[in-house]
Amino acid sequence: MTDPGDRGGRPTMPEAVDASSLFGDDKGAKPVLVVLTGPQVGQRILLEAPAIIGRDPEADLMLFDAEVDWHHARVEPRDGGWMVLDLTGERRTEVNGMRVKQLMLTPDDQIILGGTVVRFEVHDPIEQAYDEAVLERLYKDDLTGLLARRKFDIELSGALDAAARNDETMAMLVLDVDRLKPINDMHGHIVGSRVISDVGALVRAVLQTRRLERALACRLGGDEFGVAVTGISPEDARELAEAIRRAVAETPFVHEAEPLRVRVSGGLAFYPRDGGTALELLRRADEALYRAKGAGGDRITVHAPEADRR
């Protein structure tokens, strides 16, 4: 590793950068940060303003990496170029293996933050369109339009980290479509998939109607959904879960003029009361869901340690 004082001939001040060499003749070219390692590999953000990189869920590039500080680095425009600035003296940012406090970036520079590598690139309009398509596939569930499970897990971990720092609560709701197997058996899996898609749309619609800015929703897998909301009271969380259940129960589902009976059951758990990690919360909510389905379905239950012991 290069000594922090050695810049290897690289400019640290903005006047040393020629903007035309950075963007070439393409006026539509824009700088991009691309994550190369870790659970968020493939994630990319377009740089149009100063960007904070760190574990903060509100950061422009939030990294799920325990070795990364809350606010680890900032990338900002400087007179036609872009500079990276280290925001912590404990784990100083590296560029191409060189520890830096600030450094002007050039295309293909690798910024190392904790155990994560992020590359600085310059993309033309075609590459920018490609970036958008990649993110769409990485982060959105094809069937429901909700978050993909991978993205949900990353966002949930960050939200729990923030809740712990800010002494906030979180509600975790796990939903499951009741008796989907008979629909699949009688009408085929294509119809069953459409039911899952429609239920996902109803979950999204209820959350959008209530304008819950700190809500995360995904399809956990199969016909199971997860919803996490930070800063919500147990009473409001229960009412939200019931609103989703009612929306599904009151929506007509029809296949070839034949009505389908579609209902959902749900289990609720709360941070920090029922668990301190994403895995614990999901497990507790799933235990409550199991109890709801065992009682006949089409209901919401709240995790109770004694009742949910199996």
Side-chain angles (χ1 to χ4, degrees):
M1 182 182 296
T2 306
D3 183 85
D6 180 7
R7 295 291 179 267
R10 291 286 300 280
T12 61
M13 299 305 294
E15 56 266 28
V17 172
D18 179 1
S20 65
S21 66
L22 185 63
F23 297 103
D25 296 328
D26 190 346
K27 301 302 182 182
K30 294 183 179 179
V32 176
L33 295 178
V34 181
V35 180
L36 299 184
T37 64
Q40 291 154 271
V41 62
Q43 181 175 350
R44 54 202 68 201
I45 63 167
L46 188 67
L47 292 171
E48 297 183 296
I52 296 293
I53 307 173
R55 286 197 348 267
D56 184 354
E58 300 299 320
D60 300 282
L61 179 56
M62 189 276 283
L63 297 178
F64 179 48
D65 181 341
E67 297 181 42
V68 170
D69 283 4
W70 197 247
H71 290 168
H72 197 110
R74 183 172 69 250
V75 179
E76 63 181 41
R78 291 284 187 95
D79 295 338
W82 286 80
M83 173 176 278
V84 60
L85 299 95
D86 178 64
L87 298 181
T88 171
E90 296 179 1
R91 301 181 181 88
R92 285 189 287 181
T93 304
E94 299 177 25
V95 177
N96 301 330
M98 176 175 63
R99 292 182 176 181
V100 301
K101 277 294 183 183
Q102 61 180 38
L103 188 71
M104 296 304 296
L105 295 168
T106 59
D108 297 327
D109 275 346
Q110 294 190 1
I111 307 170
I112 305 169
L113 310 101
T116 302
V117 179
V118 177
R119 187 164 61 201
F120 176 77
E121 301 179 357
V122 175
H123 288 187
D124 62 29
I126 293 177
E127 291 169 316
Q128 292 167 35
Y130 171 77
D131 290 340
E132 292 180 7
V134 168
L135 290 180
E136 180 83 5
R137 285 158 178 76
L138 277 175
Y139 294 156
K140 185 175 289 188
D141 178 60
D142 289 340
L143 190 57
T144 64
L146 299 173
L147 292 178
R149 176 64 188 268
R150 177 185 180 188
K151 177 65 170 175
F152 179 79
D153 287 343
I154 292 170
E155 295 284 345
L156 177 58
S157 294
L160 282 169
D161 199 353
R165 290 174 65 94
N166 299 326
D167 194 25
E168 294 179 300
T169 60
M170 176 186 290
M172 173 63 68
L173 170 65
V174 174
L175 296 160
D176 187 85
V177 180
D178 295 332
R179 302 177 184 87
L180 183 65
K181 187 176 185 301
I183 294 176
N184 285 331
D185 291 345
M186 182 173 296
H187 302 287
H189 286 272
I190 293 178
V191 176
S193 293
R194 182 166 61 82
V195 168
I196 294 171
S197 176
D198 290 346
V199 169
L202 289 169
V203 171
R204 188 169 66 250
V206 172
L207 294 176
Q208 289 175 345
T209 298
R210 291 164 182 261
R211 299 180 180 178
L212 295 171
E213 296 180 356
R214 305 178 72 188
L216 304 170
C218 83
R219 183 166 68 99
L220 294 170
D223 60 346
E224 195 168 76
F225 300 84
V227 178
V229 186
T230 302
I232 191 171
S233 70
E235 295 77 15
D236 287 344
R238 178 63 183 261
E239 201 282 322
L240 171 66
E242 288 288 356
I244 295 173
R245 184 196 63 77
R246 288 194 305 270
V248 174
E250 295 170 2
T251 297
F253 290 78
V254 179
H255 173 64
E256 295 181 348
E258 180 179 345
L260 305 176
R261 187 182 189 279
V262 178
R263 300 289 188 272
V264 294
S265 296
L268 271 169
F270 297 93
Y271 168 87
R273 187 189 74 184
D274 299 321
T277 67
L279 181 60
E280 289 172 345
L281 280 181
L282 285 166
R283 184 175 295 160
R284 300 289 91 81
D286 194 60
E287 289 170 355
L289 168 64
Y290 181 85
R291 184 156 47 92
K293 294 182 80 69
D298 191 21
R299 68 191 65 206
I300 303 295
T301 60
V302 178
H303 173 65
E306 294 299 325
D308 289 330
R309 283 180 179 170
R310 299 190 218 171

